[in-house]
Amino acid sequence: MVRSKKNTALQRENKLNEAIKQENVIDMRSFFDAKQKKEDDYWMAAMVLCIDNISTAQKIRLAYKIIRKKAAMNFFFEKLYDVEDEY
């Protein structure tokens, strides 16, 4: 019984690794693993900005789903649109 569960898990892992090799798939496993360990919205904003193969609209939708602090969201938009504060 243990062997079949191990094989099933291995097959799922292999399928996931094959899917990640495709051009239009982003490996977000480490991103969400780290999110569960620390709730740093600024870090999450920076990680969304680093994703280079999605559109700006997709980055904004993702940011709205995972960033909760208003200051971190402001940081996200400032960096996304390359805006500097004028004080």
Side-chain angles (χ1 to χ4, degrees):
M1 185 168 178
V2 172
R3 176 177 263 178
S4 66
K5 286 184 180 181
K6 184 177 180 181
N7 286 340
T8 303
L10 218 79
Q11 288 172 349
R12 288 181 183 163
E13 185 70 23
N14 289 339
K15 285 181 184 178
L16 180 62
N17 289 334
E18 289 298 318
I20 289 172
K21 291 178 184 176
Q22 296 179 8
E23 185 175 322
N24 61 346
V25 176
I26 302 167
D27 184 5
M28 299 291 289
R29 289 178 294 185
S30 60
F31 179 77
F32 287 107
D33 288 344
K35 180 184 180 294
Q36 291 174 357
K37 293 176 186 170
K38 62 178 184 178
E39 290 289 331
D40 186 359
D41 284 357
Y42 286 97
W43 181 82
M44 289 188 280
M47 291 298 103
V48 172
L49 291 168
C50 289
I51 301 171
D52 60 352
N53 61 345
I54 63 174
S55 69
T56 301
Q58 290 170 321
K59 286 181 184 183
I60 293 170
R61 283 195 302 267
L62 180 59
Y64 275 122
K65 287 182 181 180
I66 63 174
I67 299 171
R68 300 290 175 227
K69 294 180 183 174
K70 187 174 182 175
M73 190 58 99
N74 290 340
F75 166 81
F76 170 77
F77 280 111
E78 287 172 6
K79 297 300 179 186
L80 182 65
Y81 292 114
D82 201 25
V83 176
E84 294 188 21
D85 289 336
E86 297 179 11
Y87 291 103

